[in-house]
Amino acid sequence: MMSPSPFHGLSAFPPTPADPHGRIDTEGLGRLLERLCESAVASIGLLGSTGIYAYLTREERLRAVKAAVDCVKGRVPLVVGAGALRTDHAVDLARDAEAAGADALLLAPVSYTPLTQEEAYQHFLAVAKATRLPLCIYNNPGTTHFTFSRELLQRLSDIETIKAVKMPLPVDGDLRGELALLREKTDLAIGYSGDWGAAEALLAGADAWYSVIGGLLPRTALALTKAAMAGNDGEARRLDDLLQPLWEVFKAYGSIRVVYMMAEHLLDIRAELPRPLLRLGPADRERVLDIVQPLIELEHQSLL
């Protein structure tokens, strides 16, 4: 049974296994997605930042969507990243995703030349008009170097098919204040990325957690999500405390490097980082494995 909205609850973002040439391992991707379906996450974020969308060709992105749709078979909503430098390319990617059977879109304002607020608005408007799929704004200034003003988010929320925003953690840590201001100005479903702040964001009233670790440890992430959204402060913080060592290595090495190493370790699949990104060296890999192994065992034993 599908979630009533792909933009509420735990949205799990798996890595995209590929070879050094950017050719996707669709069998390996299917194994990752099957675990997410079995865990009953609220949605799957395919081809997000963790899913290396920015490094893949249009053809490989379409292969990934087709393989995901074939694997998931409607059990969980698929939210597909459609970000691209050019507006016409993003429109093509959005149409590809819809034609292949995606349920929703995620769009970041990817750019080389910094965008103005109006340029970003027109970019989103063009993509939103290109399909009937509901769209989530991907606000990720750490990679796009673009910051959405609240006025821009308000304008975008007036576009019929734009339904949600994926926010970074606020610099000042005032989640409740930010949520109140966003709800005052928009009707968007408001979710957060930045896994180490997920418990606080959900306890503050966020609608969704767009989760990197949810793509690999979905039971743990789902247990935290449910506890926090039910207002069970103690349980949410207990689970977050278990994950603190992982959050520290995410910050130290970058979550993408840690997650691709974990994917290979968990499922014995080849998940190459796209160059120029490099795999963790032997000493760093050993350190990370020592930290994540207890979490992997906990996930497998369903002791949550």
Side-chain angles (χ1 to χ4, degrees):
M1 182 71 67
M2 261 199 191
S3 165
S5 166
F7 308 127
H8 289 77
L10 176 66
S11 187
F13 280 69
T16 304
D19 69 16
H21 306 289
R23 178 78 173 172
I24 290 171
D25 173 5
T26 55
E27 190 274 335
L29 178 62
R31 287 161 62 190
L32 282 163
L33 299 181
E34 187 61 37
R35 297 175 75 248
L36 303 183
C37 292
E38 290 174 353
S39 299
V41 299
S43 64
I44 293 170
L46 188 74
L47 298 176
S49 295
T50 302
I52 59 172
Y53 78 93
Y55 299 91
L56 297 172
T57 65
R58 177 183 178 183
E59 292 74 20
E60 286 304 302
R61 289 166 75 163
L62 180 55
R63 282 185 71 236
V65 180
K66 287 180 175 178
V69 169
D70 185 56
C71 171
V72 172
K73 294 182 169 61
R75 291 173 290 171
V76 175
L78 279 170
V79 182
V80 175
L85 280 169
R86 293 176 56 99
T87 298
D88 53 353
H89 291 177
V91 164
D92 287 341
L93 290 164
R95 288 173 172 159
D96 285 351
E98 182 178 40
D103 300 294
L105 298 172
L106 178 69
L107 182 65
V110 183
S111 67
Y112 181 80
T113 300
L115 300 178
T116 67
Q117 299 288 299
E118 182 62 26
E119 287 167 340
Y121 175 80
Q122 294 297 334
H123 180 69
F124 275 79
L125 178 63
V127 176
K129 284 183 173 181
T131 83
R132 295 166 294 179
L133 295 180
L135 187 149
C136 178
I137 300 162
Y138 189 0
N139 183 2
N140 188 7
T143 57
T144 65
H145 308 292
F146 178 82
T147 299
F148 288 84
S149 68
R150 292 195 178 101
E151 290 70 27
L152 177 56
L153 291 175
Q154 183 175 15
R155 288 183 71 195
L156 291 173
S157 75
D158 291 335
I159 298 171
E160 183 179 2
T161 56
I162 296 182
K163 301 295 187 183
V165 60
K166 178 181 187 280
M167 294 290 292
L169 297 170
V171 174
D172 64 4
D174 185 12
L175 285 156
R176 293 186 186 277
E178 180 172 84
L179 283 163
L181 287 170
L182 289 172
R183 295 200 194 285
E184 180 183 339
K185 288 184 174 288
T186 80
D187 293 323
L188 299 170
I190 303 164
Y192 284 86
S193 54
D195 280 10
W196 46 88
E200 293 296 339
L202 293 169
L203 286 166
D207 298 304
W209 174 18
Y210 295 98
S211 174
V212 172
I213 203 58
L216 288 181
L217 303 179
R219 293 176 181 172
T220 308
L222 190 59
L224 190 157
T225 302
K226 289 180 175 179
M229 295 187 80
N232 189 340
D233 186 288
E235 179 64 4
R237 294 185 190 282
R238 180 186 77 83
L239 293 167
D240 189 48
D241 285 346
L242 289 175
L243 291 163
Q244 283 302 318
L246 182 58
W247 303 155
E248 292 306 314
V249 295
F250 271 18
K251 294 173 185 178
Y253 301 113
S255 61
I256 191 168
R257 296 179 183 87
V258 175
V259 164
Y260 274 71
M261 187 210 72
M262 288 178 65
E264 291 188 332
H265 179 71
L266 266 170
L267 294 178
D268 193 28
I269 58 177
R270 189 68 172 173
E272 290 281 352
L273 286 167
R275 295 294 300 270
L277 300 180
L278 297 175
R279 299 158 69 88
L280 295 180
D284 290 334
R285 179 182 176 89
E286 183 176 353
R287 179 194 171 199
V288 173
L289 284 176
D290 285 344
I291 287 169
V292 303
Q293 191 58 42
L295 297 172
I296 292 170
E297 291 172 2
L298 189 63
E299 177 90 3
H300 285 166
Q301 293 167 9
S302 302
L303 294 179
L304 299 165

